[in-house]
Every structure is written in C-alpha cells, then in structure tokens.
Amino acid sequence: MSRDYLDFDVAVTREGQGYAAHVLASPAGEASAPFTLPFAATDLAQFMIAVGPPRVSSRRLVPAEARVVDVKEYGRRLGDALLSGDVGRAFRESLTTATGQGKDLRLRLRLDAVPDLDPVPWEYLYDSRLGRFLTLSQETPIVRLLDSLERPPVVHVDAPLRVLVMISSPSDMPELAVDRERQLLTATTGDLVASGRLTVTVLEDATLTALQRALLDDFHVFHFIGHGGFDQQAQEGVLVLERDDGTAHRVSGERLGTLLHDARTMQLAVLNACEGARTSGRDAFSGVGQALVRQGLPAVVAMQTEISDRAALVFSHEFYYFLTRGLGIDAAICEVRKAMAVSDEASEWGTAVLLRSGADQPFSFTASSTAEAERPESRLESLYDAAKGALLARAPATALPMLEQIAAEHPDYQDVTQLLERVRPEAAPSDDGPTPRSRPELTLTQPLTQPLPQPEAQPEARLETRQEAHPEPEPDTRRDRTPPPPPPDPHPRRKGNGFVRSLIGLVVLFGLFWLGMTQVPKWFKGATADVASACGPAPAAASSAATTFVAGCATTTPAIDGDFADWDGVPSHSIPHVIAQQGTPQREFGGDWQVVWDSSALYLRVHVVDPDVRSVNLATPAAWFNGDGFSFEFGPDARSLAPAATTRRGQDVHVMVGLSRDAPTSGVASINPAGRGTFTTGTRHPEITVGRADNLTGYDLEARVPWSSLQLKKAPARGTVFSMNVNLSDATSSPAAWRLRTMKSTNAARTAETQGFPHGWQTITLADEAS
C-alpha cells in the first residue's frame, strides 16, 4: 500500500534582508523566487496557541468570537508566499507530471540555512489553486528534509510492529499523570494489540539506563511522552527523562541518539512532548527531532505544541493503524491528519511535524498470516472498557476523553451518553497540578446508580510492561445495563390562588432588583473594549524576531480580587527550572503563570503548588524572597546588549510579590531598583495591587503592576519587546529562620550571579490578543 512519490524539493535561504525559495529538484526542473514570511513572530505564536488544545473557560479576557482562528486564511497566506512566481509554476507543472504518471507529489522542505524559519508551522500550508491543505492529502504530503550522517537500510517488519514507550514524570517537574497517559495509549491501541499487528511495551523506569537495556531487544518505534523544551544555555532541545532518584534529567537529542543509533531495528521516534521539535533559531539540528535524524534515525514525528487528550487518542490509534496496514510514513501521517481534522472542531491536525532523511520509507510492514481479523467495533470496546475502569477507579479525567471519542464516533454506543452526563468539567485548575496538556478538573456530578463493571483484560501475551506486573481487572459482564429511569415526582404541581401568585411575583421582582443592584456589577467588573482602545494603535511595523513569551492585550481587564475566573482562556507557561536549593526540597513545589496587558498596567497571575505555605517577613523587606511568593525581573529589550552588560539604572527592576500574614486575601509587593550590576533593596509599593486565594495544594496570586512602577514614563505600544524572567520562591518551614528553600524560574540560566546581566533574560512581546 506504500505510495509512489515524485519529490518536489524546496530550500529556503537568506537573501540580503529577506529570503528566497529555491526548487532544487522536481519533475519540472529548478526554479527560484523571493520569499517573504507573511507573519510577525507574535502572529505565529498566537496562531500556535489558538490551534492547540481547546480550553474550558467561564469568562474570557477576549470575547469568544475574537478567538476564532481562520486556519485556512493563515495557510493560504503561507502557501501564497512560498508557492509564488516560478516556484509556484514549477509546483503546478510537477503536480501535473506526477498525476500523468499515476504518482503523487511529495513536497520536501529544506530549512537548514534558515533555522529561524523552523518554528513556522508549514504543515498548515494551503494551496489556493487546489483549494485544500496540502498535508490533508496523501497526494501532496509535506516533509521536512534533513541531511543524515548515514542512512541505514530499510527494515522489513513482519507483524507485530513493536513500540517501546517511555512516560517520564520527574518528581521536581510539573506532575505528569503517568497512569492516565498509559491508560490513554494502551486503550486506544488495544484493538491493534488484540489483532496481533502491534505490541506496546511500557518502560517503568524513565531513565537512560533502563532505555539502554530495553534496546537490547528489537523495537521498531520509540514513543516518548513527557516534558520537553529548549535549553537556552546550551542552545539545544531536550527531553526530560528521570534520574535514579526520580528527579529531572535533561537529555539532548544528540545524547538520546547515541542509544537509538545502535538499535538497528529502531526506525522511528514519536516525541509527544511540548516543544519537542523546536530549535534555537541558529542551528537546524538543535531540536531533539533534528538531532535524532542527523544521527541516522530515518524518521521522527515531533509535536510543535502540546496536544489535547482527544487529539492524542486519535493520533496514536490512527498512526499505528495505518503503519500496520502497510502505508509509508508520509501517507500514514496524512491519514492521521485527516482523522484528527474530522474528529472534533479543533485544528490540532497540523501539530505533528514529520522529519525525514532520504526518500526511502523507514520500514516495510507485512501482516502475519495468523493475525486476527479485526472487528469494526473492537476499538470502541477497548475505549469503553478503559473508560469504565477509570470511572471505577475514580479517575474521571482519564475517562472523559475516551467517552467523548466514543460519542463522536458512535453516539448511541452502550450507555456512553449517560456516563458523559455524570462527568462534569470544572473551570478550576486540577489539584493534581499542571500537566503537559491543558485539561479541566473533572468530577462526578452524581453518584453511580449501579456499580461500574470491571474493564476487560487486555491480551496478556501482547501488551507488555517492563519491570513491573499489573494485575488484570475482572471482565465486564454487565455492559448492556443502563441506569433505571428517574422516579416520579412525589410532589406534583398544585394550582395556587391569585394572592399566592401575586406574592410570588413580588418576590421574583424583588429578587431581580437585588441581582441588578448587587450582583450584576460584579459580573461586569472588567469593561470590555476593542484592542485599539485597550492597548493603543497598532505598531507601524511588527518585529519578526521570536521572543520567549507573548502577552495578549486584555480587552477585558482582569479584576484583582482573588477570583481567578477572568484568567480562563489565557495561555499558561510553566516555571520548571530549579535555580536555587537549600536542604530538602518539597517534591510537589512548582507552578505556572499567565500574563496580559493594557495601556495602564501589566497583569500577572501565578498558580503555585506548595503544601507548606509561609508568609513573607514584612519586618525585613530585603528578605521578602525568603517567604513564599513570586518575583520577576523586567526591563527594556536587552537582546542587543553585550552579555557582560549589567543592569540599567532607571530602567531595570526586580518586582517581588509575596504572601503576608495580615492580608489573607491579598499580598504585598516591593520593587528592587537596578544598581551597578545588581539590584538594591527596595520598598513596598502599594500601587501594585495583589489578589490572593489559598487552596489545599497551595495558592494563587494575581497582580496589577502599573507601567509607571516598571520605570516607564508612558504606556508601551503594541509589539514592544521587553526582557523578563518569572521566578517562584519557597521558604523553609521554620518561621524563625526565614530561609529560602527552593527557587524556580522560567529561565534555566537565571541564578543569583546572572540576575544582574539582562542580556541573558528571557523576552516577552506585547501582542494584540490574549489567545
């Protein structure tokens, strides 16, 4: 079933102050044309956030209609820019030639010379003349082509396709729900395992040593689920594995490739980690996926952004389904994208990036003659059994995406509708802490009227687990039972007299009056405005340089009152890096942050997991960092400064926001101004308003920081870039010591020694929308 492709190879290079696209090889010969990226960096960042996992929110900083992203329009502009002039002519002629030969045309992008364009989501490229996205058809797949130091021979796979899965959740990183990830993956591939076409082996230890030992056996695919990111100091992409003590072990693609290289049957890596395909903007091989391909792995599928549980379910099943049907990886990815595109209303189908070296397929697959015939309903049964097992284990967050997927494919399947009604999403963040994919906290809205049946056991011989055996649950024997109808109302409606009806009417009118006078103003605490009135006119020219973070314009101003509903829908950023440590850390300590802005102030919200909350020492402002809270360095764009340049007086500040004993529903803020190469002790700034709310796992803080407090004489313009780090502090338990226990930062390079050098800070762009 492998497709026969002709290749259309396009290399993008830098020409003067712009770019050029060159057709290096095609059925129509060579061609060249100027190329201009039709988007600013902020536009790209907002687009990738918007097409990512959908978020549940009760009140947004941007009206819902303003958040709708026209994916087709974005793709059209990108396609019109790349396939213009002679390059577009060559593409159309090549497509005609391929069709005439009964073949398809594979567009292979080479971005080696312009790694700054690597973060562009080319997978959404739309051809206006064809009237479709290229990647949503096997006839025109898009592949990112990389040179490899060597090209191993094609591996012939006799079923089953063997997949080695590593799920990493270090103790000092935002917690990953390991059991949920395992259940989602094994449930969605259960039918393929049962048919004998696939085996899934899950490593219990997510360490390099465990991986090295596992690779002594033959596997064809390495599937990683966990944290990923970019090491700013080393300027390379990393996957976060675990050390023997369970803490984070940041492993570069080059180091991981050392192990995978010698696994001769290993032909493919699937990296389901946030930022797994991101590069430094300087070295095209600094991303994890690129490094693996360069070291000889024929193919890598890496996610450009996080994906939702629903998208992960569809991706994993359809990807392995089509691979075990003999499709080449190029065609299989196209089919996966199509399945994701029709599974729900999200646009996550372009998230996966296919990185390749050479033209040959990584492996050829042959189904075993003894493979069982698949029943169409087997996958739904696998998802259904796993969902009910999750509900039985009081894990509704695991069950929800599986039930939603069943309902999408077969709304009348068993009692799925009733089960979905019992699982209610909440707007509040989960007490389990942040996870790599955004999902609401889930609870059962009503008790189960019957005991849930146990899930059916997976085939024991084909579903494997390294180093640990898990008992199989009892088989489901009561699948067809449905909840009994509700009992009749024991108090039927009675007819009242006129006086009673009049009295009820007066009560209703009084209630409406009370709502109008007391509650409605609370519902509209933030005044909605358009972007221009909230954040000023659009900039004359947007910067094309990428920044670390993007702050959207707050067209609805968040109220600083300890009620965090108005932050729903604003993207969250993790604060993962331990930059200071004294004594024994709290395993749970961590958090994430959100940011928006308007012409009056910068607004931040920080969610902190910290079971041992300690207030700051107000008597000693210089020691506020020894209490619990957050801080951030802030100043003008410092990217053009020399690395040895120190803090700028009158421009750079260090803002500290802490918990206080005397303000249980708010906090305190101080500002340390820039000195010579450091920050000097500051004072309390009451104009910075702080809201606070404590919970069972920690606390939340929100702050409004006027631009004047950040040393700005006037409001910044849209598109302005600042330098900034965000940090969390955790104090020791002893109130007498007031000693810092742990500090985390968004910036791995931020230490007490480097704090005074703004060139090493991260960057943030003030954008048009809070996407």
Side-chain angles (χ1 to χ4, degrees):
M1 295 179 63
S2 181
R3 312 281 289 206
D4 194 1
Y5 288 107
L6 299 181
D7 288 321
F8 186 84
D9 292 354
V10 180
V12 182
T13 61
R14 189 173 295 281
E15 300 288 337
Q17 298 299 316
Y19 304 96
H22 305 279
V23 180
L24 303 180
S26 79
E30 299 179 357
S32 296
F35 170 74
T36 301
L37 186 65
F39 308 100
T42 53
D43 297 323
L44 293 176
Q46 291 176 348
F47 176 82
M48 293 310 297
I49 291 171
V51 300
R55 292 168 170 84
V56 174
S57 61
S58 59
R59 187 162 44 133
R60 301 182 185 273
L61 292 175
V62 177
E65 60 272 13
R67 295 171 51 84
V68 176
V69 173
D70 191 341
V71 179
K72 182 184 295 184
E73 174 61 16
Y74 169 91
R76 182 194 63 76
R77 292 168 63 186
L78 186 60
D80 289 350
L82 181 67
L83 303 177
S84 65
D86 290 343
V87 172
R89 174 194 53 77
F91 179 76
R92 292 188 295 275
E93 292 180 4
S94 297
L95 192 58
T96 300
T97 300
T99 302
Q101 297 180 13
K103 299 179 180 180
D104 300 316
L105 189 67
R106 176 170 48 194
L107 194 160
R108 304 197 300 180
L109 278 173
R110 300 197 64 123
L111 305 172
D112 310 55
V114 285
D116 54 308
L117 296 184
D118 196 71
V120 175
W122 300 96
E123 288 66 27
Y124 290 96
L125 194 148
Y126 185 91
D127 189 295
S128 300
R129 294 176 179 84
L130 295 177
R132 60 177 172 82
F133 295 97
L134 296 186
T135 53
L136 290 182
S137 172
Q138 292 188 39
E139 298 176 359
T140 52
I142 293 179
V143 177
R144 301 195 186 197
L145 186 64
L146 299 168
D147 286 329
S148 173
L149 300 179
E150 58 181 291
R151 294 181 182 174
V154 175
V155 171
H156 298 281
V157 179
D158 292 323
L161 183 70
R162 295 175 57 83
V163 180
L164 179 64
V165 179
M166 174 180 281
I167 306 176
S168 177
S169 181
S171 59
D172 54 347
M173 293 285 290
E175 184 180 359
L176 176 68
V178 175
D179 291 338
R180 173 165 56 206
E181 299 293 343
R182 181 207 303 271
Q183 285 182 274
L184 292 175
L185 180 62
T186 56
T188 196
T189 57
D191 59 325
L192 304 177
V193 172
S195 70
R197 296 176 180 269
L198 185 76
T199 64
V200 177
T201 301
V202 181
L203 276 174
E204 287 300 320
D205 292 330
T207 63
L208 279 177
T209 300
L211 177 60
Q212 180 181 4
R213 293 173 179 174
L215 291 176
L216 293 176
D217 296 330
D218 288 339
F219 291 98
H220 308 116
V221 183
F222 173 65
H223 192 126
F224 177 84
I225 301 174
H227 298 287
F230 187 76
D231 189 328
Q232 295 285 352
Q233 186 172 8
Q235 287 291 287
E236 61 184 358
V238 296
L239 296 182
V240 184
L241 275 61
E242 299 175 12
R243 300 187 185 277
D244 290 337
D245 62 357
T247 58
H249 185 191
R250 292 168 176 81
V251 178
S252 67
E254 182 178 358
R255 192 172 183 185
L256 183 62
T258 301
L259 295 183
L260 299 182
H261 173 272
D262 284 350
R264 293 300 181 184
T265 59
M266 184 69 71
Q267 297 289 92
L268 169 66
V270 178
L271 308 179
N272 190 355
C274 182
E275 298 185 339
R278 179 185 171 185
T279 64
S280 66
R282 299 176 186 171
D283 178 3
F285 299 111
S286 60
V288 177
Q290 289 90 331
L292 294 179
V293 172
R294 189 181 188 186
Q295 292 199 47
L297 198 65
V300 172
V301 176
M303 302 301 170
Q304 298 180 79
T305 63
E306 62 181 356
I307 64 174
S308 63
D309 283 334
R310 283 282 305 282
L313 280 174
V314 176
F315 173 86
S316 296
H317 181 270
E318 299 305 299
F319 184 56
Y320 293 122
Y321 175 88
F322 287 111
L323 285 181
T324 57
R325 287 306 179 279
L327 264 67
I329 190 168
D330 312 277
I333 282 289
C334 288
E335 292 300 319
V336 170
R337 296 190 197 283
K338 287 193 288 187
M340 294 174 71
V342 300
S343 66
D344 58 22
E345 297 179 359
S347 298
E348 299 178 77
W349 52 264
T351 298
V353 172
L354 175 57
L355 304 168
R356 291 286 312 276
S357 63
D360 294 331
Q361 296 299 324
F363 45 71
S364 61
F365 183 87
T366 303
S368 171
S369 58
T370 60
E372 299 178 18
E374 282 189 50
R375 295 177 295 111
E377 67 277 10
S378 59
R379 176 170 179 258
L380 296 181
E381 290 178 358
S382 176
L383 291 173
Y384 180 86
D385 293 339
K388 280 206 165 183
L391 289 177
L392 183 68
R394 309 297 295 176
T398 302
L400 180 64
M402 292 186 280
L403 293 173
E404 287 179 333
Q405 190 58 37
I406 296 171
E409 297 180 23
H410 196 320
D412 299 327
Y413 189 84
Q414 304 294 351
D415 57 345
V416 165
T417 301
Q418 293 94 325
L419 292 177
L420 274 173
E421 291 176 352
R422 296 173 183 166
V423 180
R424 175 173 58 87
E426 295 286 346
S430 171
D431 287 343
D432 294 333
T435 59
R437 291 198 288 273
S438 300
R439 57 174 67 86
E441 182 182 8
L442 304 172
T443 57
L444 293 178
T445 58
Q446 53 181 293
L448 299 174
T449 56
Q450 308 174 43
L452 282 171
Q454 298 283 351
E456 293 180 359
Q458 297 287 348
E460 183 177 354
R462 298 191 180 102
L463 183 60
E464 306 169 11
T465 302
R466 290 271 169 168
Q467 302 181 7
E468 183 178 341
H470 293 273
E472 298 291 346
E474 295 296 324
D476 179 358
T477 59
R478 292 176 288 180
R479 177 176 300 167
D480 297 327
R481 295 185 62 183
T482 57
D489 187 356
H491 302 290
R493 190 175 177 180
R494 297 184 178 90
K495 186 180 301 183
N497 57 34
F499 173 77
V500 173
R501 288 195 297 271
S502 299
L503 182 60
I504 293 174
L506 289 173
V507 172
V508 171
L509 286 174
F510 177 79
L512 291 174
F513 175 77
W514 177 82
L515 285 172
M517 296 298 294
T518 64
Q519 300 303 305
V520 171
K522 296 181 180 180
W523 300 341
F524 294 95
K525 288 179 294 187
T528 300
D530 59 27
V531 173
S533 60
C535 297
S543 172
S544 60
T547 59
T548 315
F549 307 111
V550 175
C553 174
T555 52
T556 301
T557 304
I560 308 302
D561 55 1
D563 178 3
F564 301 96
D566 41 8
W567 288 94
D568 290 334
V570 178
S572 296
H573 309 281
S574 63
I575 310 177
H577 305 293
V578 177
I579 60 172
Q581 183 64 63
Q582 300 181 33
T584 303
Q586 296 188 86
R587 287 189 56 180
E588 303 88 348
F589 176 64
D592 55 72
W593 70 293
Q594 298 165 285
V595 59
V596 292
W597 72 288
D598 63 17
S599 58
S600 66
L602 187 70
Y603 302 86
L604 299 95
R605 182 267 180 100
V606 176
H607 168 68
V608 184
V609 178
D610 182 359
D612 182 24
V613 175
R614 293 290 161 180
S615 301
V616 299
N617 184 358
L618 293 177
T620 311
W624 280 14
F625 66 90
N626 284 334
D628 291 338
F630 76 92
S631 66
F632 62 95
E633 290 83 24
F634 191 90
D637 186 0
R639 290 174 295 181
S640 62
L641 293 181
T646 58
T647 50
R648 297 154 289 184
R649 292 186 178 181
Q651 299 183 72
D652 297 322
V653 295
H654 178 222
V655 180
M656 296 193 299
V657 180
L659 307 180
S660 62
R661 298 179 186 175
D662 56 348
T665 60
S666 64
V668 293
S670 70
I671 292 183
N672 297 327
R676 186 177 298 276
T678 185
F679 290 100
T680 60
T681 301
T683 59
R684 186 168 180 172
H685 273 240
E687 68 271 20
I688 300 177
T689 53
V690 182
R692 168 186 174 183
D694 295 348
N695 53 60
L696 294 177
T697 61
Y699 60 90
D700 288 79
L701 286 171
E702 58 183 350
R704 179 186 180 275
V705 187
W707 292 117
S708 58
S709 299
L710 297 174
Q711 307 297 311
L712 272 69
K713 296 180 179 179
K714 63 179 182 178
R718 290 152 58 188
T720 303
V721 176
F722 292 97
S723 292
M724 181 180 189
N725 303 316
V726 179
N727 321 294
L728 291 181
S729 295
D730 180 31
T732 56
S733 297
S734 172
W738 297 112
R739 185 166 54 88
L740 177 70
R741 173 163 46 192
T742 305
M743 178 174 280
K744 286 191 170 185
S745 178
T746 56
N747 189 348
R750 193 279 196 200
T751 64
E753 291 75 23
T754 62
Q755 181 192 19
F757 299 93
H759 177 79
W761 297 355
Q762 295 171 313
T763 49
I764 185 169
T765 299
L766 305 185
D768 291 353
E769 296 181 3
S771 299

